[in-house]
Amino acid sequence: MNHYESVFILNPVLSESQVKETVKKFEDYLVSKGAEMIWKEDWGLKKLAYPIQKKKTGFYHLFEFKAPGEVISTYELEFRRDDSVMRYLTVKLDKHAGAWAEKRRERVKSSKK
């Protein structure tokens, strides 16, 4: 199983319940395909660097997970099918990026305490 990180931006016109429902849908999809969720982060509503679909903001979410490589193509197909997703990016983490992600997780955990 490979180590991945996925960031996606949801449409800012969605209600809080719609955002949670969409995030849960993608998480459930990964788990149903045998992925192991390592970390989830809700970065909230952020200003975009440039307008996307005439929107200037979006809800950012990050997933860090381990999954078989063949899952990623169908996972990204789900992003393309969902109209509430404005942009997404999934990257495979090497050992150095994985170590950095672990440090980031620890930093976030300690800042929430």
Side-chain angles (χ1 to χ4, degrees), residues 2 6-8 11 14 26 43 63 65 73 79 88 97 113:
N2 297 321
S6 185
V7 176
F8 54 99
N11 199 320
L14 298 175
F26 289 119
W43 292 346
F63 284 171
F65 57 96
S73 60
F79 279 136
Y88 63 90
K113 289 181 180 178

Side-chain angles (χ1 to χ4, degrees), residues 95-109:
K95 64 180 181 179
H96 303 293
W100 183 86
E102 190 172 330
K103 287 179 187 175
R104 185 190 71 234
R105 284 195 307 270
E106 293 302 319
R107 193 170 50 240
V108 169
K109 284 180 187 176

Side-chain angles (χ1 to χ4, degrees), residues 1-50:
M1 295 205 346
N2 297 321
H3 195 167
Y4 294 97
E5 192 172 78
S6 185
V7 176
F8 54 99
I9 307 171
L10 299 176
N11 199 320
V13 299
L14 298 175
S15 69
E16 187 176 333
S17 62
Q18 288 172 317
V19 169
K20 287 181 181 178
E21 182 181 306
T22 304
V23 170
K24 180 86 172 120
K25 178 181 90 168
F26 289 119
E27 181 182 2
D28 290 345
Y29 179 82
L30 284 172
V31 171
S32 72
K33 298 294 183 183
E36 173 195 343
M37 293 300 289
I38 297 172
W39 184 253
K40 294 186 311 183
E41 227 176 296
D42 175 5
W43 292 346
L45 187 68
K46 299 237 182 240
K47 188 175 184 303
L48 302 173
Y50 54 89

